[in-house]
Amino acid sequence: MPIIVNLDVMMAKRKKSLNELSESVGVTLSNLSILKTGKAKAVRFSTLEAICKALDCQPGDILEFEE
């Protein structure tokens, strides 16, 4: 898939664990794990917004397009 998910990179930069992010965003660990590993087929804007707020970043810091 040409969309690369850099959630793990941003979590490392912000020193946040998957558990901490899950609690602050209100998304289950399993759903965040699916997103983090790049196996997600879609992501809601509301979820992306919550993740960006929790990690103090922009959507482009998490999602990347690569042909």
Side-chain angles (χ1 to χ4, degrees):
M1 180 184 278
I3 301 293
I4 310 295
V5 180
N6 294 315
L7 183 57
D8 53 345
V9 174
M10 285 309 299
M11 287 170 53
K13 284 183 180 179
R14 301 297 190 248
K15 295 182 171 75
K16 280 217 176 204
S17 70
L18 201 60
N19 285 331
E20 291 171 326
L21 187 60
S22 172
E23 288 177 14
S24 60
V25 172
V27 175
T28 64
L29 280 172
S30 59
N31 284 341
L32 271 183
S33 181
I34 289 168
L35 181 61
K36 188 176 110 171
T37 57
K39 294 178 182 175
K41 300 290 183 199
V43 61
R44 291 182 182 181
F45 281 147
S46 59
T47 302
L48 186 58
E49 178 185 355
I51 291 170
C52 287
K53 283 182 180 178
L55 295 177
D56 189 30
C57 67
Q58 295 293 314
D61 296 328
I62 297 172
L63 301 175
E64 179 182 344
F65 176 75
E66 188 176 283
E67 290 192 54

